[in-house]
Amino acid sequence: MTRSILFGALAFASMMSSAAEDGPREPLYLEEVTIVGTRDNVQRVAGSAHFIGAEEIDRFSHTDVQRIVRQIPGVSIQVEDGFGLRPNISIRGVATERSGRITLLEDGVLIAPAPYSAPSAYYFPTVGRMAAFEVLKGPAAIIQGPYTIGGAFNMISTPIPTGRRGRVFAETGENATHRVHASYGATADNGLGFLAESHQWRSDGFQRVDRSDDHTGLDVRDGMLKLSYAPGHAHAVELKLQTATQRSNQSYLGLTDTDFRANASRRYGLSRLDRIETYHEQAIARYEYAPSASLKITFAGYYNGHARNWFKTEGLDPDGSPDAQGFRRTSWASVVQAVNRGATLGAMSAAQLQSVLDGTRDTPPGSIQIRANDRDYFSRGLQGTVSWDLSDGSIAHSVKVGARYHEDQEDRLQRNSTYSQRGGQLYLDDPGLHGNAGNRIQSARALALYVQDRMEIGRLALTPGLRYEHIQQSRRRFETRSGRTADPASRAPNNLRSTRANDTRVLLPGLGAVYRINDIATLVAGAHKGFTAPSNAPGVEPEEAINYELGVRANTAHVRLEAMAFSSDYDNLLGECTSSSGVDCEVGDAFNGDAATVRGLEFSGGTELAAGGFIMPVEIVYTWMDGTFDTDIADTDFFGDVQAGDPLPYIPKHQLHVLLGAAKGRWSAHVSANYVDGVCARASCGAFETTDDSLTVDLAGRFALSDVVSLFARVENLADAYDIVGRHPYGARPNKGRSAAIGFDVAW
């Protein structure tokens, strides 16, 4: 069936290409879609900025954002599922978990399910349909909030072309992995434009569940429609509508170290029922007014809705049976650690716990907890920007003023069910009550204002900026309702269990400077106050840091270099308890981590060599980071017992990415090697709390059959090396092993 779809798409694309009158033209972006815009524009930014465009994306056509961001210095990741479905991305040492400490954007709009009240990115855009990626760090990032310590990551969807353009990319590979990405759009002479796009992605996954034929893969279906009208004078409007569904059989449960070394792609049978289903919808309406070459006004209204239910095993009652109050939950993280250390947990020895994991030991009724993490989210808002250029004698100003009003909400109605294991299979004992694992609504309202002025004085460009955030957060927690079902809309006031709220106001100044030494070299420097919004937990302070950077850029016609040193001096490092943290704490609570420091060096360079008719791109990206706690912290459920000098979790000291390529005539090939230091999963960095050093090599090649059709092949993780790349949420987790794919690309 899939092969028929692929070959049918190829035939359709060939017919369409023969009927096309115009060749591919450059797409048109509205002002607020991009931050940087192009790789060339990076040179003018008063801060560290990076742009990955279509040329770089097409080399490997990755679907995993974690492989793409390796090309950007200062960005680190904590691998969890091997596909990048819910990536853990850090910029300059901020906490990695669920990318909750960076400003995530799609087309310049906040994209996390609830960016203020629940910023963990349980929804992440389908990376395979993106046209470009941007990362903004340093003082320039204060125009994109609310998370400004690390920076902003903007994903740019396929734009409406200025002419007529279509594309079909299709690939098939190991583990029954298939992907089809098709788009077609045009802009008429009267300014009316449209783009229709579909992205379908399926896989059986690379892990295997004990005593089960169930796959561990995914089914992602994504569609988008854009409409625009730009009649050629001062006005332009665009409407974007997008939906995505996902079903993936993903689990939080990892492996013990012994089991990992024996078979890294194994999954315990206890996770057989684990799966997540999501639905996402987005609508963005934009208006742009440019009455002159020096003045531009843009407005955007946006709405994101997201629903998800993650049914996953949460823990074990090691004492054998529930007490009078119900299940005595011990997370699987504690079980795995007890087995690793050969320790007793409750009434069970390490050997008995291992037999539970192996499925060879039956457990009493109600001893295994599985949770339905059912949540609904929305985020919506209005934002606008005024940009104008003016001259004041010998000083040229480029002023940008922006505002955003934003609302978001997370609605939890979660249920714990209990099971027992008999004969290596799970049997339901009690479905539980809706709301017994979380019955609450938390919401946020935020007003953000910023002003930034780029002042050019001869060879010097100064960019002072100021951002203001006023954030109101609240949470209402309800009692568990009687019966097996409950309607969230019927939550009566007399069922209210507790409320809490937090009100935050913060002013964030920043200053960036760019000094052009000559036509090749430029000095870059900056300082700004960074900020992370606190949760609604009482007594928790905002996460704040003073950030500095200093570096140099050098660019010629064939060589580009950038070296940057940075430092983030945290006044208070914030820790927030989530299910994915793998820590036995109350989900939603937050903890003050006191002072911390992150220092680093970033280097990126690239050139194109020419020999024997070959064009050979060479790129090197290196990052050194050192993140440590500056003070002792008494034992907490989240941070543990921290001593000054202990490392910040999941921050690698050394990262290196090297790319080599060769192109001649119709052929092109690229190989990339990515090395990441092992990291500490906890500040204590003890036994079974570290990950492995990891070296991953990917290879890809293309052959153009014509100006329209090309063939494509890719091998990821060429050496088939399995490493412990993460230990959260519950145990050692692998990277994806070697996988190959072939396909075709038709563009007209």
Side-chain angles (χ1 to χ4, degrees):
M1 179 65 178
T2 303
R3 289 191 180 92
S4 298
I5 294 174
L6 297 184
F7 286 114
L10 176 58
F12 172 77
S14 299
M15 289 187 294
M16 291 299 295
S17 63
S18 63
E21 298 176 1
D22 300 321
R25 298 182 183 178
E26 287 301 313
L28 177 66
Y29 299 103
L30 292 183
E31 172 73 16
E32 287 197 346
V33 170
T34 65
I35 304 173
V36 180
T38 66
R39 176 175 280 189
D40 291 339
N41 288 349
V42 167
Q43 310 308 318
R44 300 184 70 251
V45 176
S48 184
H50 302 271
F51 181 87
I52 298 175
E55 180 181 348
E56 293 78 27
I57 294 171
D58 289 346
R59 291 168 175 170
F60 292 92
S61 296
H62 287 307
T63 55
D64 184 350
V65 68
Q66 297 169 135
R67 281 181 142 83
I68 294 171
V69 298
R70 291 170 176 171
Q71 305 172 52
I72 302 173
V75 178
S76 55
I77 56 175
Q78 172 197 336
V79 175
E80 182 177 323
D81 58 40
F83 291 104
L85 297 174
R86 282 158 291 278
N88 303 285
I89 302 174
S90 168
I91 300 176
R92 289 187 171 175
V94 300
T96 59
E97 189 187 345
R98 290 283 178 267
S99 309
R101 302 297 174 85
I102 64 176
T103 300
L104 281 177
L105 307 159
E106 180 178 338
D107 295 333
V109 165
L110 294 173
I111 197 59
Y116 285 86
S117 58
S120 295
Y122 285 97
Y123 166 76
F124 201 86
T126 305
V127 171
R129 65 174 172 84
M130 294 299 165
F133 301 88
E134 301 174 310
V135 170
L136 199 63
K137 300 171 285 186
I142 67 171
I143 66 173
Q144 303 292 336
Y147 303 97
T148 59
I149 296 176
F153 181 36
N154 186 34
M155 292 157 278
I156 303 167
S157 65
T158 306
I160 298 173
T162 54
R164 181 156 52 124
R165 186 172 187 178
R167 184 178 185 183
V168 176
F169 177 90
E171 66 178 8
T172 185
E174 294 181 86
N175 300 314
T177 301
H178 311 291
R179 183 165 74 101
V180 178
H181 179 205
S183 64
Y184 181 74
T187 299
D189 292 339
N190 63 3
L192 286 172
F194 79 95
L195 176 83
E197 182 178 53
S198 175
H199 187 282
Q200 312 291 316
W201 181 25
R202 297 187 67 255
S203 177
D204 282 352
F206 64 95
Q207 294 174 295
R208 298 294 176 261
V209 181
D210 292 349
R211 303 173 301 281
S212 173
D213 294 328
D214 295 346
H215 70 77
T216 58
L218 53 92
D219 187 348
V220 177
R221 305 181 183 190
D222 198 316
M224 185 180 71
L225 175 66
K226 286 185 178 181
L227 303 172
S228 67
Y229 181 55
H233 47 78
H235 303 276
V237 294
E238 181 181 276
L239 174 66
K240 174 189 176 185
L241 302 173
Q242 180 258 336
T243 65
T245 62
Q246 178 194 131
R247 179 188 172 100
S248 55
N249 294 343
Q250 299 295 312
S251 175
Y252 274 18
L253 183 56
L255 297 169
T256 67
D257 281 41
T258 299
D259 289 338
F260 185 97
R261 301 306 180 191
N263 181 5
S265 61
R266 177 188 179 188
R267 273 225 341 232
Y268 297 128
L270 292 160
S271 69
R272 181 177 63 85
L273 301 179
D274 292 11
R275 70 183 182 276
I276 181 172
E277 296 181 359
T278 72
Y279 174 77
H280 181 83
E281 58 186 10
Q282 182 187 66
I284 304 175
R286 302 182 188 277
Y287 169 69
E288 183 177 287
Y289 175 57
S292 68
S294 61
L295 179 62
K296 184 177 291 185
I297 302 170
T298 60
F299 290 101
Y302 59 90
Y303 171 82
N304 290 293
H306 185 67
R308 61 96 153 179
N309 194 355
W310 199 334
F311 194 67
K312 62 181 185 290
T313 182
E314 288 283 334
L316 172 74
D317 180 358
D319 292 324
S321 62
D323 59 17
Q325 283 72 45
F327 186 84
R328 291 194 294 249
R329 172 182 177 268
T330 298
S331 77
W332 289 114
S334 298
V335 173
V336 169
Q337 276 288 55
V339 174
N340 281 337
R341 299 176 187 275
T344 298
L345 190 64
M348 288 189 180
S349 67
Q352 291 171 327
L353 293 169
Q354 179 68 62
S355 65
V356 172
L357 295 174
D358 289 338
T360 59
R361 181 184 182 87
D362 292 349
T363 66
S367 57
I368 294 172
Q369 179 177 281
I370 296 182
R371 176 174 296 174
N373 284 267
D374 194 355
R375 306 178 193 175
D376 289 315
Y377 305 82
F378 74 75
S379 71
R380 60 196 178 201
L382 296 170
Q383 61 187 41
T385 304
V386 178
S387 305
W388 72 93
D389 299 328
L390 62 150
S391 178
D392 180 14
S394 60
I395 303 176
H397 296 266
S398 294
V399 180
K400 182 175 287 189
V401 178
R404 180 180 64 217
Y405 176 76
H406 174 92
E407 298 178 345
D408 63 46
Q409 178 179 284
E410 179 200 55
D411 186 343
R412 299 188 182 206
L413 190 63
Q414 303 179 161
R415 183 184 75 234
N416 281 334
S417 304
T418 55
Y419 287 70
S420 54
Q421 180 173 253
R422 300 193 301 275
Q425 299 297 322
L426 293 173
Y427 293 89
L428 177 65
D429 296 315
D430 184 356
L433 303 177
H434 283 272
N436 68 356
N439 185 0
R440 70 186 194 220
I441 298 174
Q442 51 191 34
S443 57
R445 293 184 296 172
L447 174 65
L449 308 170
Y450 72 84
V451 58
Q452 188 180 68
D453 181 11
R454 178 184 172 89
M455 301 180 292
E456 297 188 11
I457 313 167
R459 294 175 177 268
L460 177 66
L462 296 174
T463 309
L466 188 64
R467 183 178 189 86
Y468 171 77
E469 291 262 3
H470 180 200
I471 307 166
Q472 297 172 295
Q473 296 173 288
S474 64
R475 189 185 82 174
R476 291 176 294 155
R477 193 175 182 183
F478 300 87
E479 297 287 355
T480 301
R481 297 176 60 86
S482 61
R484 298 301 181 192
T485 62
D487 179 3
S490 68
R491 291 169 172 153
N494 59 5
N495 197 45
L496 191 64
R497 177 179 175 183
S498 64
T499 63
R500 68 188 195 191
N502 201 352
D503 191 293
T504 304
R505 292 177 173 87
V506 64
L507 201 59
L508 306 171
L511 174 64
V514 176
Y515 180 76
R516 184 167 52 86
I517 300 173
N518 51 41
D519 292 339
I520 296 176
T522 303
L523 290 177
V524 182
H528 77 285
K529 181 180 180 181
F531 169 77
T532 293
S535 74
N536 51 51
V540 175
E541 303 171 2
E543 182 174 82
E544 295 182 352
I546 304 300
N547 305 276
Y548 307 93
E549 67 176 14
L550 176 65
V552 61
R553 297 187 185 116
N555 291 273
T556 68
H558 302 289
V559 178
R560 56 180 178 81
L561 299 171
E562 180 175 297
M564 197 77 65
F566 71 88
S567 175
S568 296
D569 185 4
Y570 286 83
D571 179 60
N572 180 52
L573 185 73
L574 188 66
E576 186 169 357
C577 183
T578 65
S579 296
S580 58
S581 66
V583 182
D584 286 326
C585 52
E586 178 68 27
V587 173
D589 285 351
F591 303 88
N592 295 318
D594 296 339
T597 302
V598 180
R599 300 181 181 90
L601 297 172
E602 302 169 348
F603 173 83
S604 61
T607 187
E608 280 193 351
L609 306 176
F614 284 91
I615 302 298
M616 295 175 288
V618 179
E619 296 181 1
I620 299 175
V621 175
Y622 171 74
T623 305
W624 172 82
M625 277 191 291
D626 182 34
T628 58
F629 290 91
D630 294 342
T631 59
D632 297 343
I633 304 175
D635 191 29
T636 67
D637 289 338
F638 187 86
F639 288 109
D641 191 9
V642 176
Q643 305 295 317
D646 282 349
L648 299 181
Y650 285 108
I651 304 302
K653 278 203 170 184
H654 301 280
Q655 295 184 105
L656 177 65
H657 176 80
V658 178
L659 178 136
L660 303 174
K664 184 177 182 180
R666 296 178 180 270
W667 290 90
S668 66
H670 295 86
V671 59
S672 70
N674 188 77
Y675 171 81
V676 181
D677 252 355
V679 300
C680 298
R682 285 178 64 85
S684 52
C685 207
F688 311 109
E689 293 181 343
T690 61
T691 66
D692 297 332
D693 296 347
S694 178
L695 176 63
T696 305
V697 178
D698 296 339
L699 176 66
R702 284 180 179 264
F703 177 71
L705 296 175
S706 69
D707 292 340
V708 174
V709 182
S710 62
L711 303 179
F712 174 79
R714 179 185 63 243
V715 180
E716 295 179 339
N717 193 358
L718 190 63
D720 197 27
Y722 280 104
D723 303 305
I724 296 178
V725 291
R727 289 189 177 272
H728 287 91
Y730 306 145
R733 308 189 72 88
N735 54 315
K736 186 171 66 173
R738 181 170 54 227
S739 61
I742 59 173
F744 62 80
D745 194 354
V746 182
W748 69 94

